[in-house]
């Protein structure tokens, strides 16, 4: 009978430990999202709608939202491609940008890998 109580206590401790680990992971994930989107920098994920080489802009259609035009300049960082000319419509991207009077200035654009056949 005494060993039964011991195993029950061990199980309760393991369940408590797992639960606290899951809750801390959720808290860290929420903290990461807050670090991405602040008052100075905004983050969107969506699909490239169009690319204008003449205006150096990329139009992004958000997955569940509006279309946003991003202005690309010399300071814009690209990941997954080298220059704006390599972006094509219907490619999934993540974009960090700063709203300004000149438009939404792109800080970082990441082209997501294409999945499928």
């Amino acid at each position: 009978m005494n060993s039964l109580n011991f195993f029950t206590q061990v199980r309760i401790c393991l369940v408590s430990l797992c639960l606290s680990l899951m809750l801390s992971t959720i808290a860290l994930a929420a903290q990461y999202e807050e670090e991405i989107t602040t008052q100075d920098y905004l983050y969107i994920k969506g699909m490239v709608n169009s690319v204008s080489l003449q205006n150096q802009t990329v139009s992004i259609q958000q997955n569940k939202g509006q279309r946003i035009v991003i202005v690309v300049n010399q300071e814009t960082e690209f990941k997954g491609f080298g220059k704006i000319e390599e972006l094509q419509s219907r490619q999934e991207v993540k974009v960090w940008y700063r709203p300004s009077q000149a438009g939404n200035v792109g800080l970082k654009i990441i082209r997501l890998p294409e999945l499928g056949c």
Side-chain angles (χ1 to χ4, degrees):
M1 188 83 166
N2 205 6
S3 63
L4 181 62
N5 285 337
F6 174 75
F7 287 118
T8 302
Q9 290 175 350
V10 170
R11 287 182 190 159
I12 290 173
C13 288
L14 287 175
V15 168
S16 298
L17 179 64
C18 289
L19 182 61
S20 64
L21 284 174
M22 287 190 316
L23 291 175
S24 64
T25 304
I26 292 170
L28 288 175
Q31 181 182 3
Y32 178 74
E33 276 299 319
E34 289 174 6
E35 290 175 1
I36 290 175
T37 301
T38 66
Q39 292 179 352
D40 295 331
Y41 307 105
L42 298 174
Y43 163 81
I44 59 169
K45 180 179 177 182
M47 192 175 293
V48 175
N49 187 47
S50 64
V51 177
S52 172
L53 299 178
Q54 182 178 2
N55 298 331
Q56 290 292 293
T57 59
V58 180
S59 175
I60 309 295
Q61 178 66 49
Q62 294 183 64
N63 294 339
K64 293 184 179 178
Q66 61 185 359
R67 185 178 304 160
I68 299 200
V69 176
I70 304 295
V71 178
V72 176
N73 60 22
Q74 302 86 354
E75 297 176 9
T76 304
E77 181 183 342
F78 301 121
K79 194 167 187 180
F81 62 104
K83 49 190 173 178
I84 190 173
E85 291 86 358
E86 296 176 30
L87 278 179
Q88 299 173 0
S89 61
R90 304 199 51 81
Q91 290 180 326
E92 288 283 329
V93 292
K94 291 182 180 180
V95 180
W96 286 262
Y97 68 97
R98 178 184 308 127
S100 71
Q101 291 179 349
N104 297 315
V105 179
L107 302 172
K108 185 175 189 177
I109 302 175
I110 299 176
R111 181 172 63 190
L112 300 176
E114 296 180 27
L115 303 176
C117 299

